[in-house]
């Protein structure tokens, strides 16, 4: 076989048509890479920065209603601890898990008492270190008595704004800091109620 015939054979081998999957792979490889990168970023952002949450109950009425959707940011509590008035999303503590709630059933409540503060509920008011709180955000005054108790270290006293219809610290105790997922910062649904919470 001459060198010319060898070259011709090589050219014929190189000109064989691509299979359908080779063509599909070449045409979609870049799109697939973009999708994989986008999914990776979305997972990382949800795990470390912020995530959307759905409000399943009326325990935070009137601030949040059933069906509202909020953005929960996760970064600020690495820099500073929760403050009184923050609305936090958290994994149910052991007391709630013993009642049948699972770790994926996140709760949302307002921080009232910080570690070391004394909390009491009496005569329709919440007291923090023996001073009544001014709470314009609640549905109605609480109709029960609770405390006084001092909030333990690394724990928080949390309550729903719908005080008489909320499964909160007044029923199951204090919330460990480690259970806090993040802070609700923005309602993005429904559109007519979009804004900070």
């Amino acid at each position: 076989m001459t060198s010319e015939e060898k070259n011709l054979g090589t050219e014929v081998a190189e000109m064989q048509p691509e299979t359908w999957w080779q063509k599909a792979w070449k045409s979609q490889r870049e799109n697939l890479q973009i999708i994989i990168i986008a999914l990776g970023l979305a997972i990382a952002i949800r795990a470390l920065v912020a995530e959307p949450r759905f409000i399943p109950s009326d325990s935070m009425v009137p601030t949040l209603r059933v069906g509202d959707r909020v953005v929960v940011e996760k970064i600020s509590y690495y820099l500073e601890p929760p403050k009184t008035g923050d609305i936090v999303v958290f994994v149910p503590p052991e007391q709630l898990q013993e009642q049948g709630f699972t770790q994926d059933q996140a709760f949302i409540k307002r921080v009232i008492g910080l570690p070391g503060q004394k909390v009491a509920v009496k005569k329709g008011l919440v007291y923090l270190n023996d001073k009544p709180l001014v709470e314009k955000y609640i549905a109605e005054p609480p109709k029960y008595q609770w405390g006084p108790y001092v909030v333990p270290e690394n724990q928080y006293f949390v309550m729903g704004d719908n005080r008489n219809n909320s499964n909160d610290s007044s029923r199951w105790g204090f919330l460990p800091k480690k259970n806090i997922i993040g802070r609700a910062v923005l309602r993005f649904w429904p559109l007519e109620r979009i804004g900070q919470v």
Side-chain angles (χ1 to χ4, degrees):
M1 181 180 284
T2 67
S3 61
E4 194 173 289
E5 289 173 330
K6 285 182 184 176
N7 288 342
L8 183 60
T10 306
E11 286 174 14
V12 170
E14 287 175 0
M15 292 178 57
Q16 287 181 354
E18 294 178 331
T19 62
W20 67 269
W21 64 268
Q22 288 172 321
K23 287 179 184 176
W25 171 249
K26 280 185 177 178
S27 68
Q28 297 302 317
R29 182 174 46 199
E30 189 173 314
N31 291 339
L32 187 59
Q33 289 172 337
I34 290 169
I35 289 170
I36 290 169
I37 290 169
L39 283 173
L41 285 172
I43 290 168
I45 288 169
R46 184 178 173 105
L48 303 172
V49 179
E51 67 179 73
R53 287 287 179 162
F54 171 82
I55 306 302
S57 76
D58 60 1
S59 71
M60 284 298 292
V61 167
T63 306
L64 297 170
R65 301 176 190 162
V66 174
D68 283 0
R69 286 170 172 78
V70 297
V71 174
V72 178
E73 67 86 12
K74 302 178 175 186
I75 294 177
S76 63
Y77 292 152
Y78 290 114
L79 306 173
E80 60 183 16
K83 300 182 291 293
T84 298
D86 285 358
I87 297 175
V88 295
V89 173
F90 56 92
V91 174
E94 286 182 25
Q95 308 92 305
L96 286 171
Q97 291 180 36
E98 289 170 2
Q99 296 174 19
F101 293 96
T102 62
Q103 288 195 349
D104 62 345
Q105 291 177 287
F107 277 53
I108 185 165
K109 305 291 176 204
R110 188 181 296 272
V111 174
I112 300 299
L114 307 178
Q117 293 182 323
K118 183 167 70 171
V119 181
V121 181
K122 57 185 178 183
K123 298 180 183 175
L125 295 171
V126 176
Y127 288 81
L128 195 56
N129 291 333
D130 299 319
K131 295 179 181 173
L133 291 179
V134 176
E135 301 184 293
K136 297 178 181 178
Y137 46 77
I138 63 173
E140 61 182 358
K143 297 176 182 174
Y144 55 86
Q145 310 294 313
W146 187 89
Y149 296 105
V150 174
V151 181
E153 188 177 347
N154 292 318
Q155 298 192 44
Y156 295 87
F157 183 81
V158 296
M159 300 180 83
D161 290 354
N162 191 358
R163 293 289 152 81
N164 298 306
N165 190 21
S166 177
N167 190 3
D168 57 32
S169 287
S170 66
R171 297 185 183 187
W172 45 260
F174 301 105
L175 172 66
K177 183 179 181 180
K178 65 181 182 182
N179 287 55
I180 297 175
I181 295 168
R183 178 173 61 105
V185 292
L186 175 73
R187 180 191 307 105
F188 65 91
W189 189 264
L191 293 177
E192 65 270 13
R193 298 183 62 233
I194 196 168
Q196 290 184 322
V197 294

